[in-house]
Amino acid sequence: MSQTMPGKPMPDPSPETRPYWDGLAEGRLMLQRCAECGRIRHYPQPMCPSCHSMAADWVEASGEATVHSWTVAHHPFHAAFRAELPYVLVTADLPEGVRLLAQLRDATAEALRPGRKLRIGFEANEAGLTLPVLRLAGA
């Protein structure tokens, strides 16, 4: 008896997060900003954690980042990711004051160190959504 490999879990864009997903599709990382106090937040949320306002607008991230930390995944959190193992997940500090978690591309964990400069890239997935990825700056 053969088993069918389950598909990867995919993000489910909502009307509230549509500017984020549309920006990624255009090759831009859009960050949500509180329209009242100006605090930038990521991931998109309905309410500002600082002033509790529900009003938000969007700003484009610079595309720059630095390594905060990383981990190498050797065991998939979902069976559909088994073929990609191992992969490197990087938590990156953005100059806008938020962090981004994304997979590292075109490098290995040995090239990383805290504070190393990165750049944000974009990759379409099999569901037609574009996701952010991280690459070494200057590479």
Side-chain angles (χ1 to χ4, degrees):
M1 180 189 298
S2 68
Q3 289 185 328
T4 303
M5 176 65 72
K8 289 182 184 176
M10 292 294 160
D12 187 19
S14 67
E16 293 79 19
T17 62
R18 182 57 50 199
Y20 174 76
W21 296 106
D22 289 348
L24 291 175
E26 297 166 0
R28 302 180 303 138
L29 177 64
M30 301 301 293
L31 301 172
Q32 201 176 45
R33 178 176 60 189
C34 178
E36 296 294 325
C37 74
R39 179 177 175 173
I40 294 178
R41 57 190 188 248
H42 183 70
Y43 294 95
Q45 304 164 36
M47 184 174 67
C48 175
S50 293
C51 73
H52 304 111
S53 171
M54 300 294 277
D57 57 16
W58 296 83
V59 296
E60 185 175 353
S62 69
E64 299 174 358
T66 57
V67 174
H68 180 79
S69 68
W70 66 93
T71 189
V72 179
H74 293 279
H75 301 283
F77 77 93
H78 187 280
F81 288 89
R82 190 168 285 131
E84 298 177 19
L85 295 174
Y87 57 86
V88 181
L89 288 171
V90 178
T91 301
D93 294 318
L94 305 187
E96 293 80 13
V98 295
R99 290 190 175 135
L100 173 71
L101 177 66
Q103 285 192 30
L104 180 67
R105 293 291 191 249
D106 307 323
T108 63
E110 289 73 27
L112 299 176
R113 67 179 185 287
R116 174 108 194 232
K117 301 276 187 216
L118 302 167
R119 60 186 168 82
I120 299 169
F122 306 91
E123 287 183 0
N125 68 16
E126 57 269 21
L129 291 174
T130 302
L131 299 174
V133 296
L134 294 164
R135 292 185 167 87
L136 301 177

